[in-house]
Amino acid sequence: MSIHLGDIAPDFEQETTIGRIRFHEWLGDSWGILFSHPKDFTPVCTTELGAVAKLAPEWAKRNTKVIGLSVDPVGSHAEWAADIADTQGATVNFPIIADADGKVAALYDMIHPAADPKVTVRTVFIIDPAKKVRLTLTYPPSAGRNFNEILRVLDSLQLTDRHKVTTPANWQEGDDVIIAPSVSDEQARALFPNGWKTLRPYLRLVAQPR
């Protein structure tokens, strides 16, 4: 099945490195990031899992749980975690799903036969506390994922959920944002009493709300 933005993320029960979990129950009221890798002991993904582990304080700050996935069993994940700690200087501090039967891969359309019919592609899903999918990304096997970009999108989603704004190209935390087109100037005066800069009637820049 294809996963579209706004869909409820499919629930599942599967073995992981922290035991058997039911996905929605494990997420609770947190945001979630589910990311897959083709198999254990692959070089690019080894660097990625190390990078995600090092970002643990950033995920916690954003009330976000991260979880990895591959088609290998739990024992293989544990052995790989030792390699990650040794080569990346970071202990894997999040669960990795052991999707040996491919159940989760099928639910999330992670098997792309034209790429490789036996392993999962490298996908990322951001899931909000209502269990809705808010971002999907699929990477080629040769390009490591940019988890700072994933953090940036997570910040944008959380900001724009709280305030009637959107974020421009290359936005970073603290930059000006765009007043949402659905907000009239009259409404904007109440929401943003310090004013804004109008570049076009549809493009109004305002300081990032706090």
Side-chain angles (χ1 to χ4, degrees):
M1 62 179 288
S2 295
I3 305 288
H4 296 154
L5 298 184
D7 287 351
I8 297 296
D11 197 14
F12 58 84
E13 189 173 337
Q14 193 64 296
E15 294 296 335
T16 78
T17 50
I18 61 168
R20 194 165 187 86
I21 67 163
R22 182 170 289 280
F23 186 51
H24 283 191
E25 181 181 288
W26 176 79
L27 280 175
D29 62 358
S30 299
W31 288 73
I33 293 177
L34 169 62
F35 68 107
S36 61
H37 43 276
K39 56 184 179 179
D40 296 352
F41 305 103
T42 51
V44 173
C45 293
T46 296
T47 66
E48 291 180 327
L49 268 69
V52 171
K54 290 174 183 176
L55 288 171
E58 300 300 325
W59 307 125
K61 191 190 310 181
R62 293 162 175 82
N63 185 34
T64 299
K65 293 181 176 179
V66 295
I67 188 166
L69 174 145
S70 92
V71 295
D72 292 306
V74 168
S76 174
H77 290 347
E79 292 175 11
W80 188 27
D83 277 5
I84 293 164
D86 187 43
T87 64
Q88 306 303 306
T91 300
V92 176
N93 45 26
F94 53 88
I96 305 174
I97 298 164
D99 195 37
D101 59 6
K103 178 172 66 178
V104 181
L107 280 174
Y108 282 81
D109 192 27
M110 292 174 175
I111 302 292
H112 293 189
D116 190 321
K118 297 179 181 177
V119 298
T120 52
V121 293
R122 297 167 63 247
T123 58
V124 180
F125 298 90
I126 294 182
I127 300 162
D128 70 18
K131 310 300 183 290
K132 289 186 178 180
V133 174
R134 302 294 296 277
L135 171 137
T136 66
L137 291 169
T138 302
Y139 282 74
S142 57
R145 285 171 275 205
N146 184 337
F147 286 94
N148 288 324
E149 166 63 6
I150 293 165
L151 274 174
R152 189 189 75 89
V153 177
L154 184 58
D155 283 340
S156 174
L157 288 169
Q158 293 185 349
L159 175 71
T160 57
D161 277 4
R162 293 192 304 269
H163 303 282
K164 294 182 182 299
V165 297
T166 59
T167 55
N170 300 322
W171 173 84
Q172 298 289 336
E173 176 70 26
D175 290 351
D176 286 353
V177 296
I178 300 168
I179 299 173
S182 59
V183 176
S184 68
D185 282 352
E186 182 180 357
Q187 292 170 316
R189 279 189 281 274
L191 292 170
F192 310 106
N194 293 328
W196 60 88
K197 181 178 182 180
T198 301
L199 302 182
R200 291 290 187 274
Y202 61 84
L203 182 53
R204 298 165 293 172
L205 298 179
V206 69
Q208 178 182 318
R210 297 296 176 185

